[in-house]
């Protein structure tokens, strides 16, 4: 990949949500910014983001072109980028993981818990959401009525929703207590898991997404908590990820 160059103020503001470009200009003027160990007073100084060692107030900036975040969404929080009546997943992000352009890649319902993937890399989000890439999403569900032996076969052959829409083949795995199960989907229609069980005459009382691709929701993550997903883990979500974008 050819090396890119970027203005110092743009670079810092893109990595630190708490600093605007004019804040950076002021910090540079006051000698609070260093590049490769030397004070840099010019905020329009050009640098290579992948290579320059930049510090603000003696704190190094860890450059990440894109952010990839795993969140354990609680109930009552919406997967939207807009502020409305309910809190959004973005409003739960800690300051060090905030930046412009982040969005949840794929939505969970307000009353669904679990793994939400948040990124500012639109191409990667598109790849994991597109049904043609078959990135599986695994859910844990608690049902109103016990499941029966027919469910696995019905999920496998593709459930027809009450609206007439056909679902792609999916996987069903019952849990012994008969009111709980795991479901793996390869697409993401609106309210899909709930609608699939409705089509079987059942209903979902609790739903949690526990895995995207091969990446499991970290069990130590409390509800509302999040952590940054590192590059090497991204290939667990999408095996074709080559680290280039
Ligand atoms: N299916 C649903 O019904 N709801 C979700 O939140 C996710 C999948």
């Amino acid at each position: 990949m050819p090396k890119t160059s970027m203005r110092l103020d743009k670079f810092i503001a893109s990595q630190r949500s708490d600093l605007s470009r004019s804040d950076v200009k002021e910090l540079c003027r006051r000698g609070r910014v260093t590049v490769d160990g030397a004070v840099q007073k010019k905020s329009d100084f050009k640098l290579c983001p992948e290579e320059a060692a930049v510090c603000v107030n003696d704190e190094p900036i860890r450059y990440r072109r894109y952010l990839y975040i795993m969140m354990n969404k609680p109930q009552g929080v919406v997967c939207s980028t807009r502020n409305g009546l309910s809190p959004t997943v973005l409003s739960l992000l800690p300051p060090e993981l905030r930046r412009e352009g982040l969005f949840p890649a794929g939505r969970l319902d307000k009353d669904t818990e679990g793994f939400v993937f948040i990124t500012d890399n639109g191409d990667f989000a598109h790849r994991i959401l597109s049904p043609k890439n078959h990135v599986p999403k695994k859910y844990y569900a608690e049902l109103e009525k016990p499941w029966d032996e027919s469910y696995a076969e019905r999920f496998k052959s593709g459930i027809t929703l009450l609206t007439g829409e056909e679902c792609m083949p999916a996987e069903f795995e019952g849990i012994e207590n008969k009111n709980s199960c795991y479901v793996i989907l390869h697409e993401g229609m609106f309210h899909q898991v709930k609608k699939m069980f409705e089509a079987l005459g059942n209903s979902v009382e609790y739903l949690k997404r526990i895995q995207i691709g091969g990446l499991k929701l970290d069990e130590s993550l409390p509800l509302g908590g999040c952590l940054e997903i590192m590059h090497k883990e991204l290939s667990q979500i999408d095996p074709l990820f080559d680290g280039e974008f």
Side-chain angles (χ1 to χ4, degrees), residues 107-109 112 139 191-194 207:
R107 289 174 181 229
L108 291 182
D109 299 335
T112 302
Y139 297 85
H191 298 322
Q192 188 169 347
V193 175
K194 292 173 187 164
L207 190 61

Side-chain angles (χ1 to χ4, degrees), residues 76-239:
V77 172
V78 292
C79 285
S80 159
T81 48
R82 294 219 194 111
N83 285 323
L85 292 178
S86 306
T88 67
V89 285
L90 297 183
S91 72
L92 300 186
L93 291 173
E96 67 278 11
L97 290 179
R98 285 187 185 192
R99 65 157 73 161
E100 288 230 338
L102 287 173
F103 63 95
R107 289 174 181 229
L108 291 182
D109 299 335
K110 190 172 167 184
D111 61 355
T112 302
E113 286 179 2
F115 192 168
V116 174
F117 180 70
I118 298 170
T119 185
D120 50 356
N121 183 340
D123 288 342
F124 190 78
H126 178 72
R127 281 165 68 125
I128 66 168
L129 292 176
S130 168
K132 80 176 190 315
N133 290 329
H134 299 281
V135 174
K137 323 274 180 330
K138 184 169 183 178
Y139 297 85
Y140 165 77
E142 291 176 7
L143 307 174
E144 182 201 9
K145 299 179 213 157
W147 51 267
D148 70 52
E149 302 306 328
S150 69
Y151 280 25
E153 192 45 48
R154 299 204 43 198
F155 270 79
K156 202 168 144 194
S157 51
I159 287 178
T160 305
L161 302 181
L162 298 181
T163 53
E165 283 162 289
E166 304 273 348
C167 297
M168 286 167 72
E171 286 134 71
F172 173 90
E173 190 189 318
I175 298 179
E176 236 167 87
N177 79 15
K178 288 274 186 179
N179 279 74
S180 310
C181 60
Y182 296 109
V183 170
I184 300 176
L185 302 188
H186 299 267
E187 59 187 336
M189 291 189 237
F190 191 51
H191 298 322
Q192 188 169 347
V193 175
K194 292 173 187 164
K195 287 179 179 169
M196 288 169 107
F197 283 103
E198 250 173 46
L200 301 180
N202 208 328
S203 86
V204 171
E205 294 192 329
Y206 171 82
L207 190 61
K208 176 173 186 160
R209 183 155 66 194
I210 55 171
Q211 192 169 332
I212 299 179
L215 192 62
K216 293 193 170 94
L217 177 68
D218 188 317
E219 282 176 14
S220 66
L221 209 51
L223 282 169
C226 53
L227 48 85
E228 189 176 346
I229 302 177
M230 296 303 161
H231 255 218
K232 61 180 180 337
E233 297 166 307
L234 290 174
S235 57
Q236 291 181 40
I237 295 190
D238 179 356

